[in-house]
Amino acid sequence: MPLTLLWVVSPSTEVCSGFGVTESLVSRSTSNGRSKRMSKKQESWNSWTFNVARHQKRTGFPVLSSMVANPTGEMAVLSSEQRVYDVVLKQAALVNRELSSRDDLDLDVKPDIAVPGTLSLLTEAYDRCSEVCAEYAKTFYLGTQLMTPAKRKAIWAIYVWCRRTDELVDGPNASHITPTALDRWEARLEDLFRGRPFDMLDAALSNTVTKFPIDIQPFKDMIEGMRTDLRKSRYKNFDELYLYCYYVAGTVGLMSVPVMGIAPESKASTESVYNAALALGIANQLTNILRDVGEDARRGRVYLPQDELAQAGLSDEDIFAGRVTEKWRTFMKKQIKRARMFFDQAENGVSELSSASRWPVWASLLLYRQILDEIEANDYNSFTKRAYVSKSKKLLALPIAYARSIVPPRSTTNLVKV
């Protein structure tokens, strides 16, 4: 399933060999271990519990969960949303530490260290990232031109790494990728965060993470999403699907917010902006899923909640048969409603970003949300018709996105502070 890159791009799968990723991963041998710790602060738990209750009351969508012991030792419900929320808190805390002696949230960029010969190589590396972004994410690339040079180069570097990661399991050489190969890719990630890049494109990201408060966890989580694609082709409920959407798309928002920056005049909490970035990633990936039902089915994959299919009187057989029935239309209407809910949540946070970063994100939100309109226009036939936004509609959306990008940040009345 294609992931959503930098809050905007659902990449095609044509250039894996051009990135030179697969050969190095398949041929090299290394070992790697992973560990995660879940934050268990009582205040985080209480805040999340309130948000879940509010979410259920407002939307009617259940939050399915597993039982664990909460910070007080009592048995409580832990969903994928809580697991992801802990990552959000960690990312926000990292940025807040960087801002401990600052009055604004638009981070200064650390300058490059002038080691003889390295600046020219870095320039070449970022230029290559720019070329890839310009070729495969044209609309987003255009929007990045409003950013400062340092920020747009960093966003290009993140884009390229995400694209290379996605190509591992969705590109032309995907059949050669094994869990061991993904372990090697993760080891490469850890090396580049330590300042030991493997190739030119790694070098661009390695330089980027030294200049912005970017944490490695969302990158590791994206790789975990690729592992999920290797071993899993069904999702029993939305709780499982939500975690997958976070892995392959929500992570991108967490990677990019430290680069894009929060407007100095914003009164929103850092956590609320990160939550909005996460919501946009989830919304975009849900849109991908609803658009690509037929394409995924031909690959033996069903990225739809199995329990909700059953409740609608549908099964995998109906998906593989590609039948557009009233049951299917009713099911799709509910799924589209959910995706739009996440887009609505994302809107509040976009306006809080630094002014130079808002345009490409607004363009992402507006264009991706229009894909849902096109699915409806196709009578919910995602089996044989691919919903897409025409060039003329894209062109019309760009000035609208720009107009929204110059509106000052909203007040905190529409954002839940945590």
Side-chain angles (χ1 to χ4, degrees):
M1 184 70 199
L3 56 83
T4 305
L5 300 180
L6 298 196
W7 300 19
V8 61
V9 182
S10 173
S12 58
T13 55
E14 303 157 352
V15 294
C16 184
S17 59
F19 287 144
V21 174
T22 305
E23 290 182 6
S24 63
L25 293 180
V26 173
S27 62
R28 294 174 65 213
S29 175
T30 186
S31 62
N32 181 49
R34 304 176 71 248
S35 65
K36 295 182 184 177
R37 289 189 304 167
M38 184 174 295
S39 169
K40 295 182 181 296
K41 294 182 180 178
Q42 183 66 54
E43 60 184 273
S44 301
W45 182 280
N46 291 341
S47 174
W48 174 80
T49 302
F50 168 77
N51 287 331
V52 167
R54 202 170 71 98
H55 161 84
Q56 291 175 319
K57 182 177 180 180
R58 185 177 70 252
T59 67
F61 288 113
V63 178
L64 302 173
S65 317
S66 57
M67 298 299 293
V68 299
N70 74 7
T72 65
E74 300 173 349
M75 291 307 294
V77 176
L78 176 65
S79 76
S80 291
E81 290 192 56
Q82 171 62 39
R83 295 168 64 185
V84 172
Y85 184 61
D86 288 331
V87 180
V88 169
L89 287 176
K90 180 182 177 184
Q91 309 312 303
L94 179 65
V95 171
N96 285 334
R97 284 197 298 272
E98 290 280 332
L99 298 169
S100 58
S101 61
R102 296 278 307 279
D103 294 326
D104 63 81
L105 295 177
D106 201 4
L107 295 173
D108 287 330
V109 179
K110 299 174 184 176
D112 288 314
I113 299 175
V115 178
T118 59
L119 290 182
S120 62
L121 291 175
L122 278 176
T123 298
E124 186 178 354
Y126 280 119
D127 285 347
R128 176 57 184 148
C129 291
S130 169
E131 292 168 3
V132 174
C133 189
E135 182 174 359
Y136 296 100
K138 294 179 176 61
T139 301
F140 185 79
Y141 178 79
L142 177 62
T144 62
Q145 299 306 304
L146 290 182
M147 297 180 180
T148 63
K151 288 186 176 184
R152 64 172 173 257
K153 288 193 297 183
I155 290 296
W156 296 337
I158 294 172
Y159 169 83
V160 169
W161 185 89
C162 291
R163 187 179 181 87
R164 295 174 91 188
T165 302
D166 182 54
E167 293 290 327
L168 295 176
V169 297
D170 273 315
N173 295 311
S175 60
H176 301 293
I177 294 298
T178 65
T180 301
L182 290 176
D183 290 343
R184 293 169 183 160
W185 184 244
E186 186 168 349
R188 274 181 60 167
L189 171 71
E190 291 171 345
D191 283 344
L192 75 83
F193 263 79
R194 296 188 188 107
R196 300 196 298 268
F198 180 77
D199 61 17
M200 176 186 292
L201 297 177
D202 280 357
L205 182 59
S206 186
N207 179 253
T208 290
V209 301
T210 67
K211 299 166 72 175
F212 296 91
I214 299 172
D215 186 57
I216 196 173
Q217 192 60 54
F219 294 83
K220 287 192 168 192
D221 286 344
M222 178 173 283
I223 296 173
E224 187 60 31
M226 304 304 111
R227 290 191 182 98
T228 303
D229 266 333
L230 292 183
R231 66 174 182 261
K232 194 178 182 72
S233 60
R234 301 290 188 281
Y235 295 83
K236 65 181 181 181
N237 53 45
F238 183 70
D239 189 60
E240 288 191 357
L241 185 61
Y242 177 91
L243 186 59
Y244 173 75
C245 289
Y246 159 71
Y247 281 151
V248 301
T251 50
V252 184
L254 304 190
M255 298 173 193
S256 54
V257 167
V259 174
M260 291 183 169
I262 302 175
E265 64 272 27
S266 171
K267 292 182 175 17
S269 67
T270 308
E271 292 89 343
S272 67
V273 178
Y274 271 92
N275 275 327
L278 172 64
L280 185 51
I282 300 294
N284 285 352
Q285 188 63 20
L286 290 176
T287 301
N288 283 341
I289 289 169
L290 299 178
R291 179 195 63 194
D292 298 338
V293 173
E295 177 184 328
D296 292 329
R298 288 187 284 276
R299 299 167 59 202
R301 297 181 174 276
V302 179
Y303 291 93
L304 299 167
Q306 291 289 307
D307 61 340
E308 295 180 21
L309 281 170
Q311 290 166 11
L314 298 167
S315 66
D316 287 354
E317 287 68 29
D318 296 300
I319 305 299
F320 295 136
R323 291 189 289 263
V324 180
T325 63
E326 281 307 311
K327 289 181 178 179
W328 173 252
R329 294 185 183 95
T330 300
F331 172 80
M332 286 291 283
K333 287 176 183 178
K334 182 177 180 180
Q335 303 305 308
I336 289 173
K337 178 182 178 182
R338 174 186 278 142
R340 284 179 172 144
M341 177 195 74
F342 281 104
F343 279 122
D344 290 344
Q345 291 176 9
E347 281 199 14
N348 290 324
V350 178
S351 66
E352 307 300 324
L353 294 173
S354 64
S355 58
S357 300
R358 292 177 206 148
W359 188 26
V361 183
W362 269 118
S364 159
L365 193 154
L366 296 176
L367 291 173
Y368 248 80
R369 190 156 54 186
Q370 285 187 58
I371 294 175
L372 298 175
D373 300 335
E374 298 301 325
I375 293 173
E376 292 172 331
N378 287 341
D379 193 28
Y380 306 99
N381 181 4
S382 294
F383 302 115
T384 60
K385 295 181 179 180
R386 182 178 175 86
Y388 68 94
V389 180
S390 66
K391 289 184 178 180
S392 60
K393 289 183 179 180
K394 286 182 179 179
L395 291 174
L396 288 173
L398 290 178
I400 296 174
Y402 181 77
R404 294 196 181 189
S405 73
I406 61 178
V407 174
R410 299 179 182 181
S411 68
T412 57
T413 55
N414 291 330
L415 288 166
V416 178
K417 297 199 72 172
V418 294

